[in-house]
């Protein structure tokens, strides 16, 4: 296996780890926020304020960034495309 192939495999491994990490974070997000919403529903819905919205929004923003990094941040072809553009400009 040459160095370039090995490097691509390492990059793909890193991308795979980030995507699996995102999926686990999404499952945790759903379970915890359903639990918090259940607490609100059973204990304090008569107060009128849906307080679980704050962890849902806060954690959701972080999850959106994690999604963007896992699925759109590491584009292997972007380096290759830039290299081809530079090569074509010569």
């Amino acid at each position: 296996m040459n160095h370039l192939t090995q490097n691509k495999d390492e990059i793909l491994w890193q991308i795979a780890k980030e995507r699996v990490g995102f999926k686990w974070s999404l499952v945790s997000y759903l379970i915890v926020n359903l639990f918090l919403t259940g607490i609100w529903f059973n204990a304090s819905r008569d107060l009128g304020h849906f307080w679980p919205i704050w962890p849902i929004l806060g954690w959701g923003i972080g999850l959106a960034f994690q999604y963007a990094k896992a699925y759109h941040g590491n584009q292997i072809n972007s380096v290759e495309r830039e290299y081809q553009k530079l090569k074509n400009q010569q």
Side-chain angles (χ1 to χ4, degrees), residues 11-64:
I11 292 169
L12 290 174
W13 181 255
Q14 183 63 34
I15 291 169
K17 285 177 28 179
E18 288 175 1
R19 289 183 179 184
V20 168
F22 167 75
K23 290 174 185 177
W24 278 110
S25 294
L26 179 61
V27 169
S28 299
Y29 172 81
L30 293 173
I31 290 171
V32 169
N33 285 306
L34 283 171
F35 178 72
L36 292 175
T37 301
I39 291 172
W40 169 81
F41 185 78
N42 289 318
S44 59
R45 68 180 161 168
D46 56 340
L47 297 176
H49 176 67
F50 182 66
W51 56 264
I53 193 67
W54 302 115
I56 290 170
L57 289 176
W59 193 351
I61 291 168
L63 198 60

Side-chain angles (χ1 to χ4, degrees), residues 3-13 76-77 80:
H3 179 67
L4 186 60
T5 304
Q6 184 178 3
N7 191 27
K8 282 186 177 182
D9 286 345
E10 290 173 11
I11 292 169
L12 290 174
W13 181 255
I76 261 182
N77 294 331
E80 291 177 18

